[in-house]
Amino acid sequence: MDPMDAVTALLSPEGAGDPYPLYEALRPYGPVVSLGETLHLVVGYEAVDAALRDPALGVPDAAGMDGRWPEWRHNRAVSLFVTSMLRSNPPAHTRMRRLAAGVFTARRVGRLRDTVAGQVAELVDALPPEADVMEELAYPLPVAVICALLGVPASDRARFRRLAVDLTAVLELVVSQDQAERAHAAGKEVAAYLADLAARRRAEPGDDLVSALTQAYDAGGDRLTGDELLGNLMLLLVAGFETTANLLGNGTAVLLDRPELARRLADDEAFAEPFVEEVLRWDAPVQLTDRIPLRDTVVAGVPVRAGSQVVLLLGAANRDPARFAGPAAFDPARAQNTPITFGAGAHYCLGAPLARLEAQLALPALARRRPRRAGPAARRSRLTLRGYASLPVTVTP
Ligand code: HEM
């Protein structure tokens, strides 16, 4: 297949439904597939890993977005992401990341273990005999956990699932007018909510991330601007929903198709970790991210111009035969399994330990209810955040 045809197919809803054959169509042209001078796709593991660590490649920040979509400031969802660390380059990124990493520590995540375990037990015990795993477990769990971490009252949780879906649409490679409008509305709603929550926590601080970040904001004039506080709070709120929900959904689909692995997961505590790592590799909930060269440079030996778009296909890198033997096979026993699903380098996912914890507790608990497919599952048509819209199952009491 011609690389241009493969990329066109990848950007269609069908391509997003099953991108893996299209990655294989691109691979012979890789590790960097250039479509003219403005778009490059990176499919090889080593090349993606090196690109993520290369300071010559920036994330699409405010300056980068000016070149791509000059009206982006009018879209509140985009402007929130662009003021967050996810879409900032040094020195702003370094400052914000240090601040967030200082409050979102491994210790804080460790302390959440009981909360996560409690939520898992509650949700899995409450599963009706016929359930949609996305509705009953995959979404509610990360929403509850992040809201607990941020100190968002339980009564406000329900609205965040829809808001997260609408907001994260702007992270896709192609965004429709309708999606952009919904994202803008969601951006305004979430910014107003978070500004109000920050004000309440400022008046009455608690042991939560909003209080900690608000205090950091207040502590020094140049440490965080008001917009950065909102952008980063929004990021922490939504970065963990869709992604973790899709990890739980994609992992459940594997369980449903491989009863022998489901049985092992139910019985053998030590199996949770390699199983979850292999789900992360084999069907990554984040399939891509992108970069903009800050100057003319090379990626894996291929020249790329300043301002062009470099798409890093994490999902393709995870199936690179040069890195993983028999990459299309789901094999939790593979040695040195290091999926690149949480990225690498300066923007490496801050929530990776939390996402892993949730999946390592939730998937075995679900496996113990012996789930079986109860109807066809439906995939979402998104590529960047890959997951299921619904996953109907029956479970034993
Ligand atoms: C399975 C679940 C998750 C996956 C696959 C995932 C994936 C990623 C990836 C690939 C990046 C880097 C993007 C880039 O380099 O352009 C990232 C960044 C980030 N993630 Fe996650 N994530 C997950 C869950 C979470 C959770 C639970 C949280 C927080 C509660 C979180 C918070 C963040 C933050 C704050 C960043 C930005 C870091 C920075 O820019 O320095 N993520 N994530």
Side-chain angles (χ1 to χ4, degrees), residues 5 253 259 263 271:
D5 292 342
R263 272 193 299 277
F271 188 54

Side-chain angles (χ1 to χ4, degrees), residues 85-86 93 97 146 239-240 243 286 289 291 341-342 347 349 351 355:
M85 69 186 115
L86 184 70
H93 175 262
R97 167 93 187 196
I146 288 285
T243 51
V286 177
T289 181
R291 294 292 186 265
T341 311
F342 291 114
H347 291 272
C349 177

Side-chain angles (χ1 to χ4, degrees), residues 58-80:
V59 295
D61 62 2
M65 289 302 291
D66 283 341
R68 248 186 217 183
W69 182 14
E71 294 83 37
W72 67 270
R73 283 184 181 78
H74 300 301
N75 188 300
R76 192 62 179 122
V78 180
S79 74
L80 281 169

Side-chain angles (χ1 to χ4, degrees), residues 308-392:
S308 62
Q309 183 169 19
V310 180
V311 176
L312 307 175
L313 290 168
L314 307 171
N318 278 335
R319 291 194 178 206
D320 181 352
R323 174 78 188 199
F324 301 102
F330 185 91
D331 176 13
R334 62 178 66 248
Q336 292 168 330
N337 195 0
T338 47
I340 199 148
T341 311
F342 291 114
H347 291 272
Y348 180 80
C349 177
L350 209 53
L354 182 57
R356 284 184 162 121
L357 175 66
E358 289 181 46
Q360 288 171 12
L361 292 175
L363 292 171
L366 179 63
R368 287 192 274 276
R369 296 282 313 264
R370 288 192 274 142
R372 299 268 182 279
R373 282 193 193 271
R379 274 273 179 204
R380 309 252 319 266
S381 59
R382 291 188 183 181
L383 177 61
T384 303
L385 300 185
R386 174 172 168 77
Y388 287 91
S390 67
L391 206 46

